[in-house]
Amino acid sequence: MLFERIYDDDLAQASYLVGCQAKGEAVVVDGRRDIAVYQELAKRNGLKIVAVTETHIHADYLSGTRELAAATGATIYVSGEGGPDWQYGFGGERLYDGGKITMGNISIRAVHTPGHTPEHLSFLVTDGAFSDQPGYLLSGDFVFSGDLGRPDLLDEAAGGTDTRFVGATQLFASLRDKFLTLPDYVQVHPAHGAGSSCGKALGAVPSSTVGYERRFAWWGKYLASNDEQGFIDELLEGQPDAHSYFARMKRENREGPAILGRRAPLTELDRAEVAQDLAEGKATFVDTRPNGAVHKGTVARSLNVPAGKSVASYAAWVVNPETDKNPLVLLAPDQAAAQVMWDHLVRVGIDNVAGYVTGMEGLPTSTPKLIRPADLTGFDAAMVLDVRNRSEHTAGHIPGSHHLSGGRAMWHLDEVPGEGTIVTYCQSGARSSVAASALRRAGYDVVELAGSYAAWTAWRQTRESVSS
């Protein structure tokens, strides 16, 4: 058996390829939309992808299930559990509790594990050439290393009302009746790692075992004492902010993401034509440099989505393809870098990219406004806006600041004053730059706090030291 984990650091998301080398067949579980990685992996190992499936209707990225099936001819398998409100809107075989996908000696059995979502499946994998008992659990967003999938996303991102309590109860039952009935040796391979918003304390270790989680995970004591209410209380406390784009992901994944097919490589655009499109409001410029470079000058009304680890996340904060119909123009050093960024963007359904430019010469530029921490006191700001996560704001913030995380800001503009100057900050400046660029593009007067909260804290400590 071939068992491969494919990890996306951007979205802290894991997908899996399980293959039977004897039969030359493979299945992909929880694949993403830029599918070349799975095709290349299968080809390198002499395998044909014959099945694609997913553990649940995802909220944080667009599924590649339909994309892979269209490219390879693989059969689609999706959950048929969860009731009528949680049925997929596209074709494919429906899997129910106990249903199987078989490839040669390998058996993949669906286990209905509701809680994170009503239709959620986990997959028990048995390598029949080695044992007649399952040895691996693809746990999706059910059990993570050291944590559990949050049951409140349906309230936070899918328009639910108090579904978190039903979900938490279901999660307790799924642990008791499904997970903890498995042998301790079964390996647990989750769909997310540290940094994901699908839980509050995900470990960075890529896998675990049933026995290890039973003994050491925070929830083990509640299951051991059958303390359901204590479990629910701790599970729901302190969950991170859910990004607003999650609602779009849920909807598109349920209906079926658009199939991209073979994408032509991005091309370098003529800057004079780009300047004309920007002047006419027919394009959106994306400055992919770090915030420090952007603060020295950028294209007027551009969005700052820095290249690197969090491209997909940051882009989804500030680009809503359902309402933002302009094609994106990426600032990139070369075609390869632009292509990598586009691969990340399609993971969250931002498909409309016109091309790239390698510089800003000939384009209209402006310099974002900054304010030093020492000048913030007494500054006539309509709002000081903290765009960090809720837990960061709770742990410490600038007095009088309003909290609205970067991933929610553009969907909650009713909380932002329409007149006056808004001062934005995060921890070190990167997230503030992303959010501030989107607010400026929307017409708000925005000043960024130089160095953000870290610099303000250092200034305050210095002032207090001098005063004492």
Side-chain angles (χ1 to χ4, degrees):
M1 182 179 75
L2 179 72
F3 188 97
E4 292 281 352
R5 176 179 184 258
I6 300 93
Y7 196 70
D8 174 17
D9 286 309
D10 189 335
L11 296 166
Q13 182 264 332
S15 50
Y16 296 88
L17 184 145
V18 182
C20 175
Q21 291 120 320
K23 196 170 183 181
E25 294 180 346
V27 59
V28 173
V29 181
D30 287 334
R32 64 192 195 218
R33 243 170 132 221
D34 51 318
I35 61 173
V37 62
Y38 310 109
Q39 294 171 300
E40 293 166 2
L41 181 58
K43 182 179 180 180
R44 190 162 63 246
N45 289 278
L47 300 172
K48 175 181 174 60
I49 297 173
V50 298
V52 285
T53 188
E54 54 195 61
T55 52
H56 64 293
I57 300 173
H58 296 281
D60 55 322
Y61 73 102
L62 278 193
S63 163
T65 292
R66 295 185 74 225
E67 195 74 36
L68 262 172
T72 65
T75 300
I76 292 175
Y77 296 89
V78 290
S79 177
E81 299 281 3
D85 292 339
W86 291 94
Q87 296 303 298
Y88 286 80
F90 56 90
E93 300 289 333
R94 294 300 188 258
L95 281 174
Y96 299 89
D97 190 60
K100 290 184 179 181
I101 302 172
T102 303
M103 301 176 300
N105 290 320
I106 296 173
S107 172
I108 300 174
R109 177 163 64 89
V111 182
H112 185 214
T113 49
H116 176 65
T117 59
E119 82 294 350
H120 193 288
L121 299 177
S122 299
F123 294 106
L124 276 171
V125 181
T126 300
D127 181 2
F130 189 76
S131 171
D132 62 355
Q133 297 298 312
Y136 312 84
L137 180 72
L138 299 178
S139 59
D141 286 19
F142 169 35
V143 176
F144 300 126
S145 292
D147 201 8
L148 301 171
R150 60 192 295 183
D152 64 320
L153 274 185
L154 304 185
D155 290 348
E156 296 290 329
T161 302
D162 290 339
T163 64
R164 65 190 69 204
F165 302 108
V166 173
T169 300
Q170 291 177 330
L171 201 54
F172 187 86
S174 292
L175 288 167
R176 180 191 61 212
D177 301 336
K178 301 290 180 67
F179 187 79
L180 292 180
T181 63
L182 298 173
D184 282 353
Y185 60 73
V186 172
Q187 297 178 25
V188 178
H189 297 269
H192 289 290
S196 169
S197 295
C198 292
K200 62 180 178 180
L202 282 71
V205 177
S207 65
S208 186
T209 65
V210 171
Y212 192 86
E213 296 303 306
R214 183 200 308 271
R215 182 169 181 179
F216 296 112
W218 66 263
W219 50 263
K221 60 185 179 181
Y222 297 109
L223 270 295
S225 61
N226 198 33
D227 181 3
E228 182 175 349
Q229 190 58 52
F231 169 85
I232 292 172
D233 292 343
E234 183 164 348
L235 175 65
L236 295 179
E237 182 181 5
Q239 290 289 353
D241 294 310
H243 304 313
S244 291
Y245 81 88
F246 283 6
R248 177 170 60 86
M249 298 292 96
K250 276 285 185 188
R251 186 169 57 255
E252 292 189 32
N253 278 326
R254 180 183 172 185
E255 296 169 355
I259 296 173
L260 297 168
R262 187 178 297 274
R263 290 178 288 145
L266 290 179
T267 59
E268 186 171 1
L269 302 175
D270 180 84
R271 280 185 219 170
E273 294 180 4
V274 170
Q276 183 66 30
D277 286 343
L278 292 174
E280 296 176 0
K282 296 179 179 178
T284 298
F285 193 87
V286 179
D287 192 331
T288 64
R289 298 173 301 160
N291 60 299
V294 170
H295 290 161
K296 296 176 182 178
T298 184
V299 169
R301 300 190 69 244
S302 64
L303 297 173
N304 180 209
V305 180
K309 183 178 179 180
S310 300
V311 169
S313 301
Y314 288 159
W317 288 8
V318 297
V319 177
N320 182 357
E322 292 183 331
T323 57
D324 305 333
K325 301 301 183 182
N326 281 347
L328 303 184
V329 176
L330 308 180
L331 177 63
D334 51 41
Q335 194 273 342
Q339 198 71 33
V340 168
M341 187 165 189
W342 194 22
D343 285 345
H344 284 245
L345 295 178
V346 300
R347 296 173 195 173
V348 288
I350 301 174
D351 306 338
N352 190 11
V353 178
Y356 70 97
V357 295
T358 58
M360 297 184 296
E361 296 82 359
L363 303 179
T365 59
S366 65
T367 302
K369 293 184 289 185
L370 303 176
I371 185 172
R372 300 181 308 165
D375 298 328
L376 186 59
T377 301
F379 182 77
D380 186 18
M383 175 181 283
V384 177
L385 182 61
D386 183 346
V387 300
R388 298 175 300 165
N389 295 328
R390 183 187 304 138
S391 60
E392 294 174 285
H393 181 81
T394 301
H397 56 268
I398 295 174
S401 62
H402 178 76
H403 174 254
L404 183 59
S405 67
R408 299 176 66 86
M410 299 310 295
W411 280 261
H412 294 271
L413 293 177
D414 57 314
E415 297 185 32
V416 180
E419 297 182 357
T421 301
I422 300 166
V423 178
T424 63
Y425 75 92
C426 61
Q427 187 63 31
S428 61
R431 289 172 289 174
S432 175
S433 181
V434 174
S437 71
L439 289 168
R440 287 193 195 95
R441 182 170 177 79
Y444 292 86
D445 180 24
V446 181
V447 175
E448 295 171 59
L449 180 62
S452 270
Y453 188 68
W456 182 86
T457 301
W459 167 79
R460 183 191 61 183
Q461 291 174 343
T462 300
R463 186 183 64 172
E464 290 174 351
S465 176
V466 170
S467 299
S468 63

